Structures are given as C-alpha cells and as structure tokens.
C-alpha cells in the first residue's frame, strides 16, 4: 500500500499485466492500419508513459505528437476541459490514433473530436489503455480498449493524484476504507482470550465479532441465515462456510464505520481464512494480524479445572476432556499459523501473567501494525 498526499492506494494492476496489454494494443492497431504511416496523438499529461511504451512496441513506421488537455481536479473528472497545448503539424488526409491512458466520463473526447473535425484527417480512431464503462457518458466510439476497470480512482503509469504517482510503473487503486485494524484473535481454552478481547475492543475502539455469539443471535432471532444454519445443525451437519461468512458480512455491514474488528472463533481452516480475506477485500480492507495467546498446557489445565469449580461447566471439570479440547485447538491453529505466517501476519504472545501484563504485550504487537 502507498500513501499520496492524504489518501492511501492499494496494488491493482502489475507492470507485467500492463506490458501485455500494451503489446496487444500495438499488434491490433498495426494489423488494422497496415502499411500506412499513422500519427499517434497522446493526451498530456497522463498519456506520456502510455505513448512512450506503445510506440516502442509498434512494429512499423509511425509519427508521434501530443496535445495537452486538463480535466481533473483531485480525484474527480470535471466538465471544464482546457486546451493547454495544441497541434503543431498539418494532419490533412492522415490516419490519426488518439492514445489515451484512461477514459472514464469521456469528457475530453468532446474536445478531441472538436479539434480534429477541423483538421480534415482521413480517419480518427480512439485507443485507451484503461476504460471505465460504468462512468462513460458519451456516444463516441472507442476503437481499441486495453482493459476495462471498475469506476474507482487509480494512480500510477502516468496517472496522478494532485501531481503525485505518475512515475509509478504499476497501477494502484484508491483504498476507500483508509484506516482499519482487523485482528484474528486466537488462544487455547483457558488462555483468557475473552477477557483480552474486551480490553482490546475498548482500548482500540474495535468491534468484537464472536462467531458463537453471532450464531446464537441469528438463531434466537430466527433470521434467514439463523434458520438456515439451524437446519444444518439439527441434522448434525456442519454449517457451510458461506453461511458463516454471510453472517459475518452482516455484522461488518452493521458496523461499516468501525475502526476495525476482532474476529473471535473464525476462521478455523484455510478455506475460511481465504473467505474472510475476500470478504474484507470487498470492503477495501484486510486482516492485519492473527494474534495468538500462548500458554503452557499444564497451566491451561490448572486454570480450567479451577474455573470448573465455579462455572459449573462439565467440560471444565474433566481433565481428559480439557486436554482433548487443547489438542483440538492446536491441531486447528497450526494450519492457520502457517497461513498467516506466510503473509507475515502471525504473532504469538505470551499469555502467562496478570491480565494487565498480557494486555500490554498484545498492545505492543497491535501498536506496530
């Protein structure tokens, strides 16, 4: 992720992908024009990189010139088009190909067509590296399109945000959710995960999403997702991952303005972790870290047996059951530890000591994210 001025941008299109698209555009246009020598016209400032790379790939003789039109203010395309640099050569009877970096609203095309209407060119063709069909408002034909993209602001490869970003060889897309901390909190039974989740959500103003609580809420309130989940549970079947993800999505949507989330009890498998990544990516966000409380097994057993004396929970009273629960935790967490470690997002935290000491250790990890 990069920051330009006051906004953040995330990787969107690689330099390798751009190069492949440019190669295809050059081939397609060359095949259409044949042996005629075309005049390629770049629209400054954005298209300088597009034109430079395009003509290097164009396999036949050609001419190149530029005009300069300005239509952007910040991240919005405006209706006010100014011609700052005009044509300096006679194009009568020539085949002209406009090389654009991006076409969104199409406002600049009105001025382009007006300019070339008076030039008596043989033919005028429009080629663009990027095209936003959702934003396009004009009826002008686009003869060559490199890549269709969503209607979100991008920078890089000649495109800028208030002057910055043109020199980046890749393309980055604006990150609409600017600041968010998302944690996957793990800990074996008896590690104090629930207690720490309460402290962390208060300290960092995060929303704590416990999968167990979400399930109970949906089933108790007989929501569509709750009834669907219950239909599987009543048959003794596992609730499909997609149902769980849909429930989590509903919780995220309820708290769209949150500073971030603590996910507790999900994910449990690689497939679930990938599904959670996709969910957050659709919100312009991501998991920042998997934080796991690490406590020696014997201490966990001792804690849970002590808790069982007051909680009344049967699974806290039987040592063999406790040890099996701990084993199941490690079996499941080991898979996810590898998943998040591969992304440099796994953080093990010593879970032995006072509640305050453990909170401090967790905070030290989170503050560095």
């Amino acid at each position: 992720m990069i920051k330009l001025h006051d906004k953040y941008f995330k990787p969107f299109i690689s330099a390798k992908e751009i190069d492949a698209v440019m190669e295809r555009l050059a081939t397609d246009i060359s095949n259409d024009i044949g042996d005629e020598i075309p005049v390629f016209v770049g629209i400054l400032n954005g298209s300088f990189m597009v034109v430079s790379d395009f003509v290097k790939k164009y396999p036949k003789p050609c001419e190149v010139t530029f005009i300069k039109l300005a239509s952007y203010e910040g991240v919005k395309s405006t209706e006010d088009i100014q011609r700052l640099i005009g044509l300096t050569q006679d194009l009568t009877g020539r085949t002209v190909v406009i090389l654009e970096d991006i076409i969104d609203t199409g406002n600049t095309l009105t001025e382009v067509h007006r300019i070339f209407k008076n030039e008596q060119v043989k033919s005028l063709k429009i080629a663009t590296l990027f095209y936003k069909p959702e934003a396009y408002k004009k009826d002008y034909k686009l003869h060559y399109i490199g890549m269709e993209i969503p209607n979100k602001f991008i920078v890089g490869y000649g495109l800028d945000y208030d002057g910055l970003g043109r020199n980046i060889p890749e393309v980055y897309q604006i990150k609409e959710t600017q600041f968010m901390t998302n944690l996957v909190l793990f800990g074996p039974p008896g590690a104090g995960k629930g207690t720490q989740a309460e402290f962390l959500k208060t300290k960092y103003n995060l929303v704590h999403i416990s999968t167990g609580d979400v399930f109970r809420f949906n089933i108790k309130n007989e929501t569509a997702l709750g009834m669907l989940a219950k239909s599987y549970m009543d048959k003794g079947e596992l609730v499909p991952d997609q149902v769980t993800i849909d429930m989590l999505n509903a919780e995220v949507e309820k708290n769209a303005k949150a500073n971030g989330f603590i996910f507790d009890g999900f994910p449990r498998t690689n497939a679930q972790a990938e599904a959670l990544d996709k969910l957050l990516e659709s919100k312009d966000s991501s998991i920042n870290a998997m934080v796991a409380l690490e406590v020696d097994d014997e201490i966990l057993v001792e804690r849970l047996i002590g808790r069982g004396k007051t909680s009344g929970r049967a699974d806290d009273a039987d040592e063999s059951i406790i040890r099996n629960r701990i084993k199941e935790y490690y079996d499941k967490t080991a898979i996810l530890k590898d998943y998040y470690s591969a992304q440099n997002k796994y953080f093990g935290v010593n879970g032995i000591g006072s509640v305050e000491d453990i909170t401090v250790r967790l905070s030290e990890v989170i503050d560095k994210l």
Side-chain angles (χ1 to χ4, degrees), residues 87-133:
L87 293 169
T88 58
Q89 67 188 98
D90 182 9
L91 297 177
T92 303
R94 303 294 301 275
T95 292
V96 173
V97 181
I98 303 296
L99 294 178
E100 271 277 36
D101 51 348
I102 187 169
I103 291 178
D104 41 31
T105 61
N107 290 335
T108 58
L109 292 183
T110 300
E111 179 66 8
V112 166
H113 278 269
R114 192 185 70 77
I115 292 170
F116 286 94
K117 183 178 181 181
N118 300 322
E119 293 295 325
Q120 297 181 332
V121 299
K122 178 182 175 181
S123 67
L124 178 67
K125 297 180 181 296
I126 307 296
T128 182
L129 175 58
F130 301 120
Y131 170 54
K132 296 179 178 179

Side-chain angles (χ1 to χ4, degrees), residues 24-39:
R24 175 172 56 78
L25 281 174
T27 300
D28 290 347
I29 294 174
S30 173
N31 289 339
D32 284 353
I33 292 177
D35 294 330
E36 185 178 353
I37 298 177
V39 179

Side-chain angles (χ1 to χ4, degrees), residues 303-322:
R303 284 183 184 177
L304 289 171
I305 288 176
R307 188 174 75 180
K309 294 176 181 178
T310 57
S311 69
R313 286 177 53 170
D315 57 350
D316 283 346
D318 189 314
E319 183 174 334
S320 63
I321 293 176
I322 290 172

Side-chain angles (χ1 to χ4, degrees), residues 189-303:
K193 179 165 58 78
T195 301
Q196 292 302 327
E198 289 299 312
F199 278 105
L200 295 178
K201 79 172 187 179
T202 301
K203 180 174 182 178
Y204 294 99
N205 194 22
L206 304 177
V207 174
H208 179 207
I209 298 181
S210 164
T211 309
D213 290 345
V214 170
F215 264 81
R216 284 187 286 274
F217 172 86
N218 278 272
I219 292 172
K220 179 181 178 181
N221 290 278
E222 298 185 344
T223 67
L225 288 171
M227 297 306 292
L228 181 58
K230 189 173 185 298
S231 70
Y232 287 99
M233 296 164 69
D234 288 346
K235 292 182 287 188
E237 298 176 2
L238 291 174
V239 177
D241 287 348
Q242 191 56 52
V243 176
T244 306
I245 279 289
D246 288 344
M247 286 186 185
L248 295 181
N249 182 46
E251 291 301 309
V252 171
E253 286 293 321
K254 285 181 194 174
N255 301 277
K257 301 295 184 181
N259 287 342
F261 299 89
I262 300 173
F263 292 97
D264 177 358
F266 190 92
R268 296 284 186 181
T269 66
N270 274 8
Q272 291 178 353
E274 290 169 1
L276 182 58
D277 282 348
K278 289 179 181 177
L279 167 62
L280 292 175
E281 185 178 352
S282 72
K283 316 289 184 189
D284 262 346
S285 194
S286 62
I287 291 296
N288 297 88
M290 174 187 179
V291 185
L293 291 170
E294 298 175 342
V295 182
D296 182 78
D297 288 2
E298 297 309 312
I299 294 177
L300 292 173
V301 171
E302 183 180 328
R303 284 183 184 177

Side-chain angles (χ1 to χ4, degrees), residues 28-74:
D28 290 347
I29 294 174
S30 173
N31 289 339
D32 284 353
I33 292 177
D35 294 330
E36 185 178 353
I37 298 177
V39 179
F40 294 114
V41 179
I43 308 297
L44 294 173
N45 286 332
S47 72
F48 74 97
M49 289 182 76
V50 171
V51 175
S52 175
D53 286 352
F54 176 87
V55 296
K56 291 173 191 174
K57 296 180 181 299
Y58 196 74
K60 299 172 184 177
C62 64
E63 295 179 23
V64 181
T65 190
F66 289 90
I67 58 176
K68 183 170 183 179
L69 306 175
S71 65
Y72 266 94
E73 293 180 1

